[in-house]
Amino acid sequence: MAIFSVSGFKAFVVTLFVSAGVSAQGSANISNVSARETTSLDGQWKSIVDPFENGYYDYRLNPTDGGYAQDRTYSSKTWLQEYDFETDKQLFVPGDWNTQRPQLYYYEGTVWYRKHFEYNLEAGKRLFVHFGAANYETIVWLNGKRLGSHIGGFTPFCFEITDGLKSGTNSLVVKVDNKRKPEAVPTVNADWWNYGGITRPVNLIETSETFIRDYYIQLDKNDKRTIEGWVQMDGKDAANNVTVEIPELKLKVELLPNQDGYAEFSVKAKPELWSPENPKLYSVILKSEQDMVLDEIGFRTIRTEGKKILLNDKEIFCRGVSIHEETAYDNTRAYSADHADILLKWAKEMGCNFVRLAHYPHNEEMVKAAERMGLLVWSEIPVYWTIHWDNPDTYKNAEQQLADMISRDKNRCNIIIWSIANETPLSAPRLDFLTRLIDKTRQLDDVRLVGAAMEKVEKEPGVMTVDDPLGDYLDLISFNQYVGWYDGDAEKCDRVNWVFDADKPVFISEFGGGALYGRHGAVNERFTEEYQEDLYKRQVNMLKRIPGLAGTTPWILKDFRSPRRHVPDIQDDFNRKGLISDKGQKKKAFYVMKAWYDELKEQYK
């Protein structure tokens, strides 16, 4: 057994990880929630729709905790009270409110949620309430006392409620507001549905007084025979010993945390490496005197060399597809392992070894399911289109969402690309904003690649390139292009060639066009399956001519809701660029991609 104490190994990086995920007035996030002792609060919650936010502001627009957060019951006809959770409607958690009630389909504003629960907490134990995500601004109260708030619709947050818990019935009240704001991340304009609500699971997490709050265990980026990592304890006895064990590798490391509960290690090992063809995961046991956490972790290296992406030092082609976080058939906000299983099996059926989870961090079950199935992942924050580049609070928000994303998924070996933006317009403030995010990404995690979905330009007739100074800071020439859809007809693909100055891998993060499943016509008729099929055939032939092409993620796996799409009887609030329909029907273009990916699979054996 090796014994390690604190040294300087990645101390700065770890300090950033420790601070990541802290909600305003809240607690630092707890990693790997599914491995903890949890009690689900999912199910039916009482709700109040509050477009004027009467439950939070008085008539002078002063915020107050004395409104709906107090969860008073209308128990006497002599009292004046203008709300009552007990007799109001219910909403299912997790879930979006838009698809649960027809009246809330387009609603953007505040909805209050209320859940009653009882909990017998033993002496010496601690209790946290953990939210997988809620869109977009959330304030939480327990028994009328404010716990804290969180901004961002796609990252987790938690609050300790040990001291606020009472015997008998406890009242948990949550204010969720999904109004779009110009200074927000994402901003007011986007091409996906602004689902409101508590969209991911809510759990009570019981811990010992001192527990393993967070940890990082991965391969050294430069050495496939060295596993490195750290552990962060939480509690008054945080300086007590903790062990990290990987039984299959006969590896057991005993760590002695410092007074802040932090310890790190670096140890020699010979793990079997994770890959799409062999998604090997090892059981990992972290154990302290009072706590134990189990995880399954894979080990791999990822780097670039010239125009190649190297996984475990072997060149790969990322045969991918983009995916939005919507369920397969009923097109609601996805959140579960079952939801992930259907979507990812479709990707596998198409021949994918890679998925781009656009345009925000997807739920944790999606990332874990992809890891088990051997799918590499591009994970992204919603810095999308026209952000307020000069606003310090907007940058702070984006950086926090980035830190939360990396903190939650840092142990998932299938994530190989952190993406910091999508289709953002060129300007000096934008370049400063995004390069700061790139620097922060590498401070937080220097073992993965950094990308962004840039945009192409037509350098001269028929010659395409990417002319974006952001590319100098990224590991990939990654960009979206819609030749044949927004840029000319499908035939234009036959005449286009691509040139790039940088010696980096080329990654096409979006391409494609729309079609309504079952709509047929001539190959030049838009929104027919024949047009989409022909466009994909021409796109594939064009992509084959791109020097250094290392990956593609066509847009998109399935049709998804978007309020920007208004053509009656064709779009009906759906972006129809899916290779699969909103009802799960495969379009003709799906099989074009499958044929090409089968060809590439043989080529890169």
Side-chain angles (χ1 to χ4, degrees):
M1 177 184 295
I3 300 179
F4 295 85
S5 60
V6 175
S7 68
F9 172 68
K10 288 196 174 178
F12 177 60
V13 174
V14 175
T15 299
L16 290 170
F17 268 135
V18 168
S19 65
V22 180
S23 308
Q25 308 170 37
S27 303
N29 279 328
I30 298 171
S31 67
N32 194 11
V33 172
S34 61
R36 313 286 178 159
E37 184 176 343
T38 61
T39 300
S40 174
L41 294 184
D42 294 348
Q44 296 291 339
W45 290 48
K46 290 292 186 177
S47 66
I48 298 174
V49 180
D50 186 16
F52 284 6
E53 299 185 282
N54 291 329
Y56 185 62
Y57 295 103
D58 67 19
Y59 79 113
R60 301 298 189 194
L61 277 181
N62 297 307
T64 175
D65 289 338
Y68 297 178
Q70 299 304 310
D71 187 19
R72 293 190 178 94
T73 300
Y74 188 78
S75 56
S76 172
K77 293 182 179 180
T78 65
W79 294 355
L80 175 60
Q81 183 169 318
E82 296 182 290
Y83 78 94
D84 186 3
F85 278 110
E86 203 59 42
T87 58
D88 217 315
K89 297 180 177 65
Q90 298 188 91
L91 284 169
F92 189 83
V93 172
D96 62 87
W97 65 56
N98 312 80
T99 58
Q100 292 191 53
R101 293 189 205 163
Q103 303 90 334
L104 300 180
Y105 182 62
Y106 290 111
Y107 179 68
E108 294 184 327
T110 285
V111 172
W112 295 79
Y113 290 77
R114 197 248 10 225
K115 184 74 169 181
H116 283 168
F117 68 93
E118 296 182 2
Y119 201 94
N120 181 24
L121 186 65
E122 298 178 8
K125 297 288 187 178
R126 298 166 67 183
L127 195 66
F128 297 79
V129 58
H130 180 276
F131 295 80
N135 190 35
Y136 170 74
E137 296 188 17
T138 308
I139 307 175
V140 184
W141 293 263
L142 179 68
N143 299 324
K145 182 179 179 181
R146 184 189 292 232
L147 297 175
S149 59
H150 180 263
I151 294 177
F154 306 101
T155 52
F157 54 99
C158 71
F159 306 98
E160 184 165 7
I161 61 173
T162 306
D163 295 335
L165 203 65
K166 67 180 185 181
S167 60
T169 300
N170 290 269
S171 169
L172 185 66
V173 175
V174 183
K175 177 184 181 291
V176 183
D177 183 356
N178 76 328
K179 285 193 298 290
R180 291 167 295 132
K181 297 180 179 180
E183 70 276 14
V185 181
T187 185
V188 293
N189 199 10
D191 188 15
W192 70 85
W193 205 266
N194 184 29
Y195 289 111
I198 304 175
T199 55
R200 294 179 188 163
V202 182
N203 287 285
L204 299 175
I205 305 174
E206 182 178 311
T207 73
S208 53
E209 192 163 18
T210 300
F211 69 100
I212 301 165
R213 180 168 58 76
D214 200 3
Y215 54 90
Y216 170 78
I217 303 168
Q218 287 283 274
L219 277 187
D220 184 311
K221 65 178 295 185
N222 298 314
D223 185 357
K224 290 185 288 187
R225 293 295 178 260
T226 298
I227 295 174
E228 60 184 24
W230 51 264
V231 176
Q232 179 65 50
M233 303 296 295
D234 187 310
K236 67 178 184 179
D237 296 324
N240 286 350
N241 286 10
V242 59
T243 61
V244 178
E245 185 176 4
I246 307 177
E248 192 174 346
L249 293 177
K250 297 181 173 56
L251 185 154
K252 187 173 184 180
V253 180
E254 183 173 320
L255 305 176
L256 181 61
N258 65 9
Q259 61 182 5
D260 297 320
Y262 165 71
E264 59 194 18
F265 68 92
S266 177
V267 61
K268 294 296 182 181
K270 293 182 179 181
E272 184 179 341
L273 299 183
W274 184 100
S275 70
E277 297 76 27
N278 179 39
K280 172 66 177 177
L281 299 175
Y282 286 91
S283 294
V284 177
I285 305 167
L286 298 96
K287 191 173 184 180
S288 68
E289 184 177 330
Q290 300 181 33
D291 192 23
M292 183 173 71
V293 180
L294 305 179
D295 203 345
E296 288 189 316
I297 292 178
F299 301 102
R300 58 95 192 96
T301 61
I302 188 72
R303 63 186 177 90
T304 65
E305 184 179 276
K307 296 185 182 299
K308 299 177 181 179
I309 298 175
L310 302 180
L311 178 70
N312 304 326
D313 294 329
K314 179 181 178 182
E315 183 181 5
I316 61 166
F317 190 98
C318 296
R319 309 185 308 272
V321 70
S322 298
I323 302 177
H324 259 302
E325 193 183 50
E326 279 192 359
T327 55
Y329 297 106
D330 51 4
N331 307 290
T332 62
R333 179 58 80 204
Y335 59 82
S336 73
D338 289 341
H339 296 157
D341 187 64
I342 297 171
L343 296 169
L344 296 176
K345 281 182 177 176
W346 282 344
K348 293 281 285 187
E349 183 181 348
M350 199 173 81
C352 293
N353 62 0
F354 185 97
V355 289
R356 178 190 181 204
L357 302 183
H359 285 295
Y360 37 76
H362 287 216
N363 66 85
E364 194 169 4
E365 293 300 332
M366 186 72 161
V367 180
K368 288 184 174 181
E371 185 178 47
R372 291 190 298 269
M373 294 171 67
L375 287 164
L376 297 158
V377 165
W378 162 311
S379 189
E380 188 164 290
I381 57 172
V383 175
Y384 183 93
W385 289 358
T386 309
I387 294 291
H388 278 200
W389 309 112
D390 288 316
N391 188 326
D393 289 335
T394 300
Y395 177 80
K396 183 179 179 181
N397 182 352
E399 185 181 280
Q400 186 62 60
Q401 292 191 46
L402 174 73
D404 289 349
M405 173 179 71
I406 295 174
S407 179
R408 191 195 72 178
D409 292 332
K410 59 188 175 291
N411 290 310
R412 302 282 67 84
C413 71
N414 61 327
I415 296 180
I416 62 168
I417 299 172
W418 299 122
S419 173
I420 49 92
N422 178 80
E423 293 182 350
T424 51
L426 274 61
S427 71
R430 169 261 195 181
L431 184 62
D432 177 69
F433 187 108
L434 295 183
T435 53
R436 288 162 64 197
L437 284 180
I438 292 169
D439 290 343
K440 180 61 66 174
T441 303
R442 292 194 171 118
Q443 289 172 6
L444 293 172
D445 179 12
D446 66 351
V447 303
R448 292 174 173 88
L449 309 179
V450 183
M454 298 182 288
E455 295 180 289
K456 56 87 176 170
V457 295
E458 192 158 2
K459 189 174 182 180
E460 56 187 76
V463 179
M464 301 285 186
T465 191
V466 174
D467 187 14
D468 188 337
L470 184 67
D472 294 340
Y473 302 88
L474 301 171
D475 293 310
L476 311 161
I477 306 172
S478 45
F479 63 97
N480 301 346
Q481 60 85 9
Y482 284 97
V483 178
W485 187 251
Y486 297 122
D487 181 5
D489 295 328
E491 182 271 338
K492 183 174 181 178
C493 298
D494 303 341
R495 298 180 281 106
V496 165
N497 288 295
W498 297 80
V499 295
F500 303 100
D501 294 332
D503 187 29
K504 295 181 179 182
V506 176
F507 197 109
I508 313 296
S509 39
E510 290 182 28
F511 67 92
L516 177 67
Y517 175 82
R519 182 180 175 88
H520 298 290
V523 294
N524 62 351
E525 183 182 345
R526 299 279 180 143
F527 291 110
T528 64
E529 285 197 60
E530 285 73 18
Y531 186 100
Q532 188 188 44
E533 178 187 38
D534 182 62
L535 172 60
Y536 265 84
K537 288 178 179 179
R538 295 174 186 268
Q539 274 277 347
V540 167
N541 288 332
M542 180 186 70
L543 294 175
K544 289 178 178 180
R545 300 195 300 272
I546 294 180
L549 186 66
T552 62
T553 49
W555 191 261
I556 188 169
L557 180 67
K558 65 169 286 291
D559 294 348
F560 61 95
R561 294 187 195 270
S562 173
R564 295 172 57 86
R565 308 298 172 169
H566 300 143
V567 180
D569 301 320
I570 293 178
Q571 292 177 314
D572 296 323
D573 284 343
F574 277 89
N575 186 313
R576 295 296 183 189
K577 294 187 184 72
L579 294 162
I580 299 174
S581 79
D582 56 297
K583 302 302 182 186
Q585 302 142 316
K586 297 180 179 66
K587 304 176 190 178
K588 290 175 176 289
F590 176 93
Y591 298 100
V592 176
M593 286 305 302
K594 176 175 170 51
W596 185 41
Y597 280 174
D598 286 346
E599 177 186 325
L600 285 167
K601 185 177 181 180
E602 290 298 314
Q603 182 180 339
Y604 283 85
K605 272 188 174 180

